[in-house]
Amino acid sequence: MSSQIHDLGYRPYEGERAGVAWAVRSLAVHSMRRALGLKRAGRHKIVPTLTIGFAFLPAIVMVGLSLFLSGFSLDDLFSYGDYHGFTSFALFLFTAAAAPGVLTTDRTSGMLAMYLASPLNRTTYVLAKGIGIFAVMFLVTVAPIVFLVVAYTIVGAGPGGLLDFLELMGRALLAGAISAAFYTGLGIFVSSIPKRWGIASVSIIAALVVPSIVTGILTEGAQAPDWVAYMSPAAMMGKAWEHILGDVSFNGLAIDRLSGSLVVLAAVAYAAAFLAMTWWRYQNVEVDR
Amino acid sequence: MRTAVISANRVTKSFGTTNVLTDISVDFPAGITGLLGSNGAGKTTFLSLVLGFEPRNGGGLTVLGHDPQTAGPEIRAQMGYSPEHHHLPSDVQAADLVRHMAQLHGLPQQASTERASDALWLVGLGEERFRPIGTMSTGQRQRVKLAAAIAHDPALVLLDEPTDGLDPVQRDDMLELIHRVGNEYGISVVLSSHLLEEVERICDHVVIISNGVVIRSGNIDEMRGDRTGVMVELDGGHELVAATLRQAGLVVDIVGSRLMVDAPPQPGADPYWIHDYIRDVVAWAQVGMRRLGDQTISLEDVFLESNDAASSDAGL
């Protein structure tokens, strides 16, 4: 029996066609994959893998210590609210790698013109990119603290009852989601400005680290008013975590003297402002056609 | 009558104080239409308005029956676009890029994957579809863009300088592909180009833009047919034959070995009387005749004439 290859030629598409929401979802998923280095060369996977590992490391160490050291309690080392401080370095690195990788390259590779020639427009494009980055930020903001809460509960070192567990889980999710939104907003806004990936990455690190140093000097050394601490992303997010997870510490710093609720609101406002500025930037960005 | 896929009525567009499009009024019929103009004429800006990238300043524009300014997503779902640049993300496989673009245009995941593969086979990149785009030649990238433009089976594709950067063999192949897209696949094509020869070769219609204004549009064959007259190519005796024809009241230009003869219309006469008359004069002069036929006009002639006329109208 012989076989034949038939040239089917061009076949019209008669199936269903989804709308803009499907396009947003498709671009968000594509952006998540690119941020994580999936279906890309090995070197693109290094930074995401390491930073996600760093974000989980404190939780893994704590759970390990609880398992192998009898009588060890989380309170011996740090509270849930301190977790952001232990992982902020990983968060900074992850933001600096993920956001520029999915935004600047679209402008330099000419993909932006192709995206805007699809059902997406400038607004839905920014929305899709924001959703994609926000989703991957969960891996370094929400996932580690959720892992810690669940693991502690399993080994018997977590909250006592179901209600306490659910409350703690809710607080952990809220803290993680707010920081994911904050870092997503900052990351996409800074990435919307320069054309080069490297400049955007360095700028994100600078935007996260420099204000913390400057506000620290101003408030603690130069007696500047306490509200200046609102300009320090790291201090603000740390305070927000402590406030949400109910583990407020007081070290006598300017950020400690600010209202926890206002700091949380400020973090949300920052995220919204960054998103709005990114949207505005993309209404005017020149498309390489 | 074929309906227009793009219809523009006094469209204007400016960037700051620069008027890029001052009056675009034209219909693009179904089929393959060449959008012709020199660099900076406003072709790419017009395509941007068609795609809804930019708002226009004035006039009316419909694409596939909708206004791109108010129904951009709906229109773009039925359109394909191949931009002029061919950078593309270097580390993405061709199949992934084409599949991704098909998905963005509304196709489900499985259909996108299948059609991306089919489209890459159709453009001759079936064996290469899993190669990263960064390892591909300019010709292959142009094909990837074409595959991405047609994978979702659009009603209309806009191809902006699709042969840019290609060598002559690749250019021939690309033009053949575009011809198939327009004629076999049933997809209307707008081919933006500054190369007259390729528009003349594959397009049914042409729209010529100069300085932001449509200076000529229509069916290419009809445009060529605007000219009357006969061309005769001789081995020798040009002056003698020309003088004899002029004595008979005909207008004759000698161009190399050819005589270009313009005949005044003679109502009621045999339309081929001039051919017979020239044949008789050449026979009388006893010179060899290589060719006798209607004067043909190239798209280049149309383009140059239209540009000259537009410049005269503008007082340039």
Side-chain angles (χ1 to χ4, degrees), chain A residues 234-246:
Chain A
M236 250 182 45
M237 291 313 302
K239 172 81 176 184
W241 273 62
E242 286 181 1
H243 180 74
I244 293 168
L245 287 159

Side-chain angles (χ1 to χ4, degrees), chain A residues 7-20 22-31 33-34 39-41 43-44 105-122 124 285-289, chain B residues 15 44-45 48 51 53-54 72-74 76-79 81 83-85 87-89 91-93 96-97 99-109 111-112 114-115 118 122 145 148 150-154 160 180 184-185 187:
Chain A
D7 178 8
L8 297 175
Y10 184 79
R11 288 177 295 160
Y13 178 71
E14 308 287 351
E16 59 170 313
R17 288 177 193 263
V20 177
W22 173 253
V24 169
R25 179 197 170 280
S26 301
L27 182 57
V29 170
H30 180 76
S31 302
R33 287 188 183 138
R34 280 193 73 78
K39 295 200 89 174
R40 301 179 75 188
R43 63 193 163 88
H44 295 291
T105 48
D106 281 355
R107 300 199 298 280
T108 52
S109 70
M111 280 303 291
L112 184 58
M114 295 179 77
Y115 285 135
L116 296 183
S118 77
L120 296 170
N121 60 24
R122 291 167 189 259
T124 46
V285 78
E286 196 175 324
V287 181
D288 181 12
R289 296 165 301 204
Chain B
F15 293 100
T44 300
T45 301
S48 297
L51 285 160
F53 281 1
E54 311 273 356
E74 291 80 3
R76 291 193 295 271
Q78 302 175 63
M79 284 173 69
Y81 172 57
E84 184 176 357
H85 69 77
H87 312 307
L88 303 179
D91 60 343
V92 175
Q93 293 175 0
D96 282 342
L97 179 81
R99 178 189 51 75
H100 180 45
M101 294 314 297
Q103 260 190 300
L104 287 173
H105 282 86
L107 269 61
Q109 199 154 354
S112 301
E114 290 168 2
R115 291 194 64 88
D118 289 352
L122 285 169
K145 286 193 297 177
I150 63 171
H152 57 285
D153 188 26
D160 199 354
R180 285 177 65 193
E184 292 176 28
Y185 305 171
I187 300 171

Side-chain angles (χ1 to χ4, degrees), chain A residues 286 289, chain B residues 10-25 35-49 54-58 208-215:
Chain A
E286 196 175 324
R289 296 165 301 204
Chain B
R10 305 190 69 79
V11 169
T12 59
K13 176 66 187 175
S14 56
F15 293 100
T17 56
T18 308
N19 296 321
V20 181
L21 303 178
T22 49
D23 180 8
I24 301 291
S25 297
L35 179 60
L36 200 54
S38 49
N39 288 327
K43 303 187 299 291
T44 300
T45 301
F46 181 67
L47 293 186
S48 297
L49 300 187
E54 311 273 356
R56 59 187 180 271
N57 296 109
I208 303 174
I209 294 183
S210 177
N211 294 319
V213 179
V214 174
I215 55 174

Side-chain angles (χ1 to χ4, degrees), chain A residues 213-268:
Chain A
I213 297 169
V214 172
T215 56
I217 293 168
L218 288 175
T219 53
E220 312 312 324
Q223 307 304 314
D226 291 344
W227 59 260
V228 172
Y230 278 119
M231 294 175 197
S232 166
M236 250 182 45
M237 291 313 302
K239 172 81 176 184
W241 273 62
E242 286 181 1
H243 180 74
I244 293 168
L245 287 159
D247 297 317
V248 179
S249 60
F250 191 84
N251 299 312
L253 301 176
I255 192 75
D256 298 324
R257 292 190 289 273
L258 297 177
S259 156
S261 301
L262 286 180
V263 168
V264 171
L265 281 177
V268 174

